[in-house]
Amino acid sequence: MKVTRKTIFLGAIAAVAIAGGLAWWQVALPGPLAFAGGRQVDLATYRGRSPTGVPPELASADPLTKGRYLTEAADCQACHTAKGGKPFAGGRAFKLPFGTIYTPNITPDRETGIGAWSDAEFVRAVHKGIGRDGQRLYPAFPYASYAMLTDDDVLAIRRYLASLAPVRQANLPNTFSFPFNQRWLMAIWGALFNREPVFRPVADRDAQWNRGAYLVEAAGHCGECHTPRTLMQAMNTRQKFAGGAAEGWNAYNITTDQVSGIGAWSSDDLVSYLARGHAPQRGVASGPMAEVVELSTGRLTPSDVAAIAAYLRTVPSIRSSGLPAMAGPAASVASQGPTGNPHGKRVFEQACVSCHAWSGKGAVSPFQQLTGIRAVNDRTGNNVALMVLNGGGSAHSPGPYMPAFHVAYSDAEIAAVANYVTARFGTQASNLTAANVQELREQ
């Protein structure tokens, strides 16, 4: 067939059109409340109780109490505290495919923290992702979500941080490789994906729903972990809350899907999980989510936790193909159950069965239940292996606690026991290797 100039020209136009369409698809994402329909209005014209600020229970509290509450609602401490470090002094490492980013010191130290920052500079950083010196911040700092916080709430957080004891701790340099170390590129990213205005409530929804939306979308920035990313690392809001990742952990689907999400959870289940890190017959918060409960949602008022639950229960259902229905009960005796993994069974018998029991129902506490929870029904096995490696909770706290076994067992042993746990208590055995666990250990 003869290829003419016209054919080449038309082919080039088609290629450009396809490329443009794909680019538009990556950029033209729905807003965080687009799913709700209805009419969004400015806060000044909203007739219901304001969804911003602190809850009614704290309306008469002093400014620092309000600021502390909003700081906890925004979950600032978790990211800005290194493991074993001083709160808010920064230095926590987040390992990404293209390097490691370290969170900065946000104590009021004037040399290494934010003590010398003006209020306007602080608001600009939180809303626009621009540092005091004009340096662009990476969206690992969730300014695309924080942009919806009101100025008053951002300044209340600022006042609380300014009341803390200053910690002199220099910020660590990131280790990003080229071109990811070119911060000016974040100006383009921000122009494309940091376009949300300050939170605009939906007039057709009640006050509790709008309060929940503000806490989930703006302050709590839940979508930053629980929503998958596009090729340009923006939240893919077409798959809102369908599951993402955080520090190597799988952040599971929190849509109303009955199988892979939280659609089968009751409001009481959600409230219990957010407030105490455990919902009976549903699971225990672990990894980054355990920190969220400890430092954020577990410190919120009952009315705010209920508002979060009410909002989440309206998010449209999206089915995650990799998350099957929960497995049923497990055998209560050692001899029954999966075969072919004696190594994993031996480790489980040595380190796990005394708390979790062969049935997975928990030997002493409901916190020890393994059946019916998402992590053991996740065929990747990542969260099970990470829980064995890192443990969770505190031995001195009344909530869920598990010791860490990263020293006691090798990568091969941890892979084996994770595969055994998912086979015995889940729908499908994971297939982790020692190399996989080594990668998780490095997270």
Side-chain angles (χ1 to χ4, degrees):
M1 184 176 100
K2 184 177 179 180
V3 178
T4 65
R5 289 182 180 181
K6 182 178 180 181
T7 302
I8 294 173
F9 178 71
L10 291 175
I13 289 179
V16 170
I18 292 171
L22 291 174
W24 176 88
W25 185 255
Q26 288 284 315
V27 173
L29 296 165
L33 300 184
F35 76 90
R39 180 172 53 94
Q40 284 187 255
V41 298
D42 292 337
L43 283 166
T45 60
Y46 179 60
R47 295 184 178 181
R49 186 177 70 243
S50 175
T52 69
V54 297
E57 298 95 314
L58 297 179
S60 60
D62 63 89
L64 286 184
T65 297
K66 291 180 179 179
R68 177 175 180 171
Y69 186 87
L70 289 167
T71 302
E72 291 170 346
D75 199 21
C76 303
Q77 183 177 337
C79 287
H80 288 276
T81 305
K83 299 296 186 182
K86 295 183 178 179
F88 301 102
R92 181 164 180 168
F94 288 86
K95 294 188 177 182
L96 304 174
F98 36 82
T100 301
I101 189 170
Y102 296 90
T103 55
N105 183 340
I106 57 170
T107 73
D109 182 71
R110 294 186 65 82
E111 299 296 327
T112 63
I114 59 172
W117 289 40
S118 69
D119 285 352
E121 289 167 341
F122 185 80
V123 171
R124 183 178 69 167
V126 172
H127 279 168
K128 301 296 184 183
I130 303 175
R132 187 185 184 215
D133 57 0
Q135 189 179 57
R136 292 284 174 168
L137 306 179
Y138 290 101
F141 175 52
Y143 52 83
S145 295
Y146 286 162
M148 290 184 283
L149 292 169
T150 65
D151 286 3
D152 286 346
D153 286 354
V154 174
L155 290 174
I157 292 171
R158 161 74 168 158
R159 284 192 295 270
Y160 172 69
L161 293 175
S163 74
L164 301 174
V167 178
R168 190 173 183 80
Q169 179 171 296
N171 294 320
L172 297 172
N174 301 327
T175 65
F176 288 174
S177 57
F178 184 84
F180 304 104
N181 60 354
Q182 302 298 299
R183 286 181 177 267
W184 63 268
L185 292 171
M186 296 303 100
I188 299 173
W189 191 94
L192 294 174
F193 303 115
N194 188 24
R195 296 176 296 173
E196 281 302 313
V198 170
F199 183 80
R200 301 178 74 236
V202 177
D204 312 84
R205 300 279 185 163
D206 63 24
Q208 184 188 52
W209 187 93
N210 278 296
R211 175 62 176 175
Y214 186 69
L215 291 169
V216 169
E217 303 292 350
H221 56 279
C222 304
E224 300 281 352
C225 290
H226 288 280
T227 296
R229 297 279 172 173
T230 68
L231 292 175
M232 298 183 73
Q233 293 303 298
M235 286 184 286
N236 182 4
T237 48
R238 294 189 183 91
Q239 295 289 309
K240 183 180 180 66
F241 294 169
E247 298 181 84
W249 295 77
N250 290 326
Y252 293 120
N253 185 326
I254 54 171
T255 74
T256 50
D257 183 67
Q258 292 280 326
V259 174
S260 58
I262 56 172
W265 293 41
S266 68
S267 294
D268 287 345
D269 290 335
L270 284 169
V271 166
S272 178
Y273 189 84
L274 293 167
R276 291 178 286 279
H278 174 254
Q281 311 301 315
R282 298 295 183 191
V284 172
S286 55
M289 190 62 209
E291 289 183 313
V292 170
V293 173
E294 179 185 356
L295 300 174
S296 183
T297 59
R299 301 183 181 187
L300 301 183
T301 63
S303 69
D304 270 356
V305 176
I308 292 173
Y311 175 74
L312 289 176
R313 286 172 61 79
T314 69
V315 174
S317 168
I318 297 176
R319 177 66 52 86
S320 296
S321 59
L323 297 178
M326 301 294 184
S332 60
V333 294
S335 59
Q336 298 177 356
T339 59
N341 185 0
H343 195 31
K345 181 179 180 181
R346 176 181 61 80
V347 177
F348 185 82
E349 187 168 19
Q350 288 176 345
C352 312
V353 74
S354 60
C355 287
H356 297 292
W358 290 109
S359 65
K361 293 181 179 179
V364 178
S365 165
F367 293 154
Q368 299 164 342
Q369 178 181 341
L370 291 176
T371 54
I373 66 173
R374 175 54 64 199
V376 302
N377 288 275
D378 173 2
R379 61 190 179 195
T380 71
N382 285 0
N383 286 19
V384 173
L386 282 164
M387 195 65 181
V388 176
L389 280 168
N390 301 318
S394 168
H396 305 291
S397 69
Y401 168 70
M402 177 173 165
F405 293 96
H406 62 277
V407 174
Y409 290 101
S410 68
D411 292 341
E413 289 172 319
I414 290 173
V417 74
N419 294 337
Y420 181 78
V421 166
T422 54
R424 187 176 186 93
F425 305 110
T427 52
Q428 180 179 341
S430 56
N431 192 30
L432 288 166
T433 65
N436 297 144
V437 174
Q438 182 182 5
E439 292 178 6
L440 293 172
R441 193 188 287 268
E442 291 173 355
Q443 293 285 339

